[in-house]
Structure formats: structure tokens, C-alpha cells
Amino acid sequence: MTAAATAVATPPAKINIGKLALTSLAASSIEWYDFFIYGTAAALVFPKLFFAADLPPAVAQLAAFSTFAVGFIARPVGGVIFGHFGDRVGRKKALVTALLMMGLATTGVGLLPGYASLGVLSPLLLILLRFIQGLAVGGQWGGAVLIAIENAPPKQRGFYGSFAQMGVPAGVVLGNAIFLIMGATVPPDSFLAWAWRVPFLLSILLVLLALYIQLKLEDTADFQAAQALAAKKHEDEAAALAAESGVSLAQAKAKIRASQGSPILKVLAKNPKEIALAAGAFVAANGTFYLMITYAVAYATGTLHVPKTSILWVVVVASCLSAPVLPITAWISDRVGRRGVFMAGAALAAVWCVWPFFHLLDTASFPLMLLAIAGGLIFNSTMYGCQAALMTELFSTEFRYSGASLGYQIGAILGGGFAPLIATALFDKYHTSSAVAVYMVILCLTSLVSVFLLAETHGKEHRAAMG
């Protein structure tokens, strides 16, 4: 029996799905922590530190949010690179590489001198490091999600996929908590001078997690089975080609390997509609999320003159309140379907954004600001909880990492990448939060229509590698 056939025939080892789900949560949490602390720093620190002192405050804030957007521009690029890598050599290796990149880039931000020391080189290096962050997070999501979903029981993919999604509120809480601790324990001048760097330097822990995953975890059951099937098919094709053309078996195998197409090109050719609609589905969850955790911080401190610690506590508590919604709604989607749950979240988010959100936020009252952001994040989580299963179930194992990552990251750049920048510009032009509310509603309606046009993926078996 050939090695490939043996691999196909060998029963898979028993999977500890709980351990894998927690690893997925840890990887996602720390990765998003790194990505999110940049947004908080862009709202509170970067306008003063990395740009010329004579810039008007509004211009400096726009410049800081522009560097924030660079990470989103890089995310689809990261999705393409890591998608190809993850579909070719494995989910685990792609995830480990993404975690290492993120940890080192974020640490680099924490070590970067400001404009007063380096001049224009300082914001240029900041943009470069943010771009590397974007590449890393573009590859991380697919790996973290697939480690859980491709090992999960078929009827629990939504629930276990939500563990990677829970990394988002966990990252928000961790990031804002460390900024709150720094703000409470050091004077404002010291915070601006050095304490803001501590959250970035702590990201070196991500390197340790990457090493743990590399040493302790196997690749997903779906990927290993798909690789075995593909290897058997290619071996049979090589034997047939060698017999027909008279070349050696090694030459035939090399010719077949050279003829294999890129997973990205394959998924673009086979599933263009699914990629486009997956991207559209994500713009609301991503865009409204960043408006609530990043733009709202800058809006509350700069326009409403709310103390920095108050709005950060609002974001932390609201994230804690919304986090349980992710596994609950994902569990519900395992039973009634992904589309209905997702569309309910998009519709409720649109209603919340169109009137209560800014009316509550504009009171500058802690309880009402908490209600505004908690309500928005709860409806956001209703969409986001089942999104991992919805997106990955659209694509076959052969190019699932590529397809899901591409749809997710294109949606991220269209939804969240420019959201704080657009909101800042809208408010600066119209001088009313109503303009931002209309923008948020448009994002929600875009996702509602996109998911309506998608086929239901709930209950669909994962297809084999060559399916």
C-alpha cells in the first residue's frame, strides 16, 4: 500500500476539540489585542507623538487614523499570501507565521521613536509596521478559525468557530484594560512619554504562543484528510502519465506539481460570487465595530470632552457584556441556520445605529454611553458569532483558507479599514453625528442584502479536497 493510501486508510487520532478551541481563542485574543491597541493609541497618543506639532488637532487625528487604515489595506494581501500558504502546506504553519509577524511588528511599534526624534521617518516607519500588522492579521483569522472548525463535529461548527471570534472582545478588553492601568498609575506626561509603549512591548508574548502551537498541535483533521486524498490522486495521475509518455515517475510527479494552480486563482474562478457576498456580509460587523471602539473613543474625548478613562471603561464593560452573545448566537445558528441569525443581527444593528446610538452617546453620561455601545456591540456580535462557520462553509477544503480569508479581509477593508477616517471626515464636514449614523446604517443594509443573497450553509457537509 502506498504512503498516500495508508494515510487515507488510517483512522484520525482522537481530537481534543476543547483544547483546540481554547488555543484558537488564545491565538485570536492576543493577535487582536495587538491589532486593537494600535487603534486606541491612534485615538489617544499618535496624533501628538508621530506627527508635526504644528498640525491642527483635527488634521493630526485624520493622519493618525490614516495610518490605522493602512493595516486594513494590507489585510487582503495577507489573506492572499497566507491563504495560499495555508491551503498548500497547512493551517498550523500559516497561523504560526502570522502570529510571529504580528508579535514582532507590534513590539516594533512600542520601540519606535517619535516625530521629535526621527522627523518624517517616524510616521513612515509607523506605516510600515502597521502594514506588517495588517499582513499578519490577514492570515491569522483563517488559521485560528479553521483550527477549530475543521476539527469540530459537523453539527457544532458554528459554536466552536465562535471561539476564534471571541478573541475580538477579549482583545478589546485586554488592550483597553492595559491602557487604563497605565493611565491610572502614571502621570499624563509620563503616559505620553513612555507608558503607552508598554501594551505594545507586551505583545512579545505572542511569539511564545506561536512556539507552543508549532510544537504541540497537529494540523486540522480536514486538511490532513484532504492532503492524503490529493496525494493519492496525484500519485495515480503521475503513474498514468509515466506509462503514457515514457518518462520516469519522478519526472511525471514534477510535471504534475508544476501544473497545479494557485488556491487563490482556483477559488476566484470557482466561487467569485461567494467571495463578493462574503465580503459584503462582513462590512457591517467590521465597520460598526470599529466605529464603536475606536471612533467613539476619539469622538467622546475630543468632541464631548469625556475623560479618557471613562470612555475606555465604557468600551471594556460593553465588550464584556457582548462577548457571551458570540457563542450563544453561533450555537443557535447550528440549529436554525446561519442566514436568519446573521440577518437579524444586521437589521437590529441598523435600527440601533439610526437613532439610539448617538443620542445616548451624546449625553456624555457613563450609564447611557455604556448602553449605547453595549447595545451596538450585542447586535454586532449577533452577526459576528456565526460568521466564521458561514464563511468557511462556503468553500471546499482545497481552497477554504484562501476563500474564507479573502472574503473576510476584503470585507474588512471595505467596512472597518476606513470607517474611523470616514466618520471623522463626515463629522468635520456636517458637524453632526447624524451623518455618521447614516453611514453606519448603510453598512448594516449592505450586509443584510449580501447575506440574503447567499445560500444557507448550515448543515452542509465539508467537501473533500478535490470536491
Side-chain angles (χ1 to χ4, degrees):
M1 183 180 286
T2 66
T6 302
V8 174
T10 302
K14 186 175 180 180
I15 296 168
N16 186 340
I17 185 61
K19 175 183 176 182
L20 290 171
L22 291 176
T23 301
S24 174
L25 171 61
S28 182
S29 298
I30 303 176
E31 182 95 356
W32 285 119
Y33 159 85
D34 283 9
F35 200 69
F36 291 154
I37 58 174
Y38 190 103
T40 303
L44 300 176
V45 177
F46 290 171
K48 302 173 184 176
L49 188 67
F50 287 108
F51 300 95
D54 57 352
L55 283 178
V59 175
Q61 187 66 74
L62 283 169
F65 279 152
S66 295
T67 68
F68 177 75
V70 166
F72 290 82
I73 295 171
R75 282 173 64 168
V77 181
V80 169
I81 295 171
F82 283 94
H84 177 91
F85 190 36
D87 283 328
R88 277 282 183 262
V89 302
R91 291 31 171 147
K92 184 183 81 168
K93 289 181 180 178
L95 177 60
V96 167
T97 304
L99 295 177
L100 288 172
M101 282 179 61
M102 178 62 90
L104 295 175
T106 308
T107 302
V109 174
L111 296 172
L112 185 62
Y115 191 92
S117 300
L118 293 183
V120 71
L121 185 59
S122 181
L124 290 177
L125 289 173
L126 182 67
I127 289 170
L128 174 62
L129 292 169
R130 181 59 175 173
F131 189 84
I132 295 172
Q133 275 194 324
L135 291 177
V137 84
Q140 168 270 336
W141 180 81
V145 161
L146 291 179
I147 276 183
I149 287 181
E150 289 192 338
N151 284 306
K155 294 183 180 180
Q156 295 178 284
R157 291 195 294 253
F159 175 72
Y160 284 110
S162 72
F163 278 76
Q165 308 296 77
M166 282 191 284
V168 171
V172 172
V173 171
L174 288 171
N176 283 302
I178 192 69
F179 270 106
L180 283 166
I181 292 170
M182 292 295 103
T185 55
V186 300
D189 289 346
S190 297
F191 179 81
L192 188 62
W194 63 267
W196 71 269
R197 298 180 183 275
V198 173
F200 289 85
L201 298 177
L202 288 175
S203 68
I204 198 68
L205 296 175
L206 200 57
V207 175
L208 301 179
L209 178 62
L211 294 175
Y212 168 80
I213 293 173
Q214 175 64 27
L215 295 172
K216 297 294 184 179
L217 296 186
E218 295 293 327
D219 221 315
T220 70
D222 277 13
F223 179 77
Q224 292 185 63
Q227 287 293 96
L229 286 170
K232 184 177 186 306
K233 179 182 178 181
H234 294 156
E235 191 170 289
D236 293 343
E237 290 175 347
L241 179 62
E244 291 174 5
S245 60
V247 300
S248 69
L249 185 60
Q251 290 174 319
K253 288 181 177 180
K255 187 173 181 179
I256 288 174
R257 280 196 300 270
S259 67
Q260 291 177 4
S262 164
I264 286 288
L265 296 179
K266 287 182 180 180
V267 76
L268 285 171
K270 189 170 182 180
N271 300 109
K273 174 186 173 183
E274 285 78 7
I275 291 174
L277 292 177
F282 191 42
V283 297
N286 198 245
T288 60
F289 176 78
Y290 281 104
L291 290 169
M292 292 172 190
I293 71 156
T294 299
Y295 172 74
V297 172
Y299 175 76
T301 55
T303 302
L304 305 179
H305 306 293
V306 173
K308 174 185 65 179
T309 54
S310 295
I311 189 61
L312 289 181
W313 270 117
V314 164
V315 172
V316 167
V317 176
S319 297
C320 291
L321 293 173
S322 66
V325 177
L326 292 162
I328 292 170
T329 54
W331 178 82
I332 293 171
S333 80
D334 281 330
R335 281 145 184 81
V336 303
R338 320 292 185 207
R339 291 171 72 248
V341 173
F342 196 108
M343 287 190 291
L348 291 168
V351 172
W352 192 256
C353 293
V354 76
W355 183 79
F357 180 74
F358 276 107
H359 282 74
L360 294 169
L361 195 64
D362 286 344
T363 64
S365 162
F366 186 93
L368 295 180
M369 289 193 301
L370 176 58
L371 178 59
I373 294 182
L377 290 181
I378 284 170
F379 298 140
N380 185 284
S381 295
T382 304
M383 292 183 279
Y384 196 60
C386 62
Q387 186 147 17
L390 173 70
M391 283 194 170
T392 56
E393 288 169 344
L394 290 170
F395 307 102
S396 66
T397 312
E398 179 187 9
F399 40 65
R400 182 174 295 133
Y401 204 130
S402 297
S405 293
L406 197 56
Y408 186 96
Q409 304 306 343
I410 292 174
I413 189 173
L414 295 176
F418 297 98
L421 186 64
I422 291 171
T424 301
L426 285 171
F427 187 83
D428 190 56
K429 180 176 181 179
Y430 295 105
H431 306 290
T432 174
S433 56
S434 297
V436 183
V438 170
Y439 170 53
M440 296 171 79
V441 171
I442 291 172
L443 293 175
C444 293
L445 294 179
T446 300
S447 290
L448 181 64
V449 172
S450 297
V451 176
F452 176 77
L453 295 174
L454 277 172
E456 177 60 67
T457 63
H458 167 247
K460 183 173 70 174
E461 292 299 321
H462 279 193
R463 289 168 283 175
M466 309 314 293

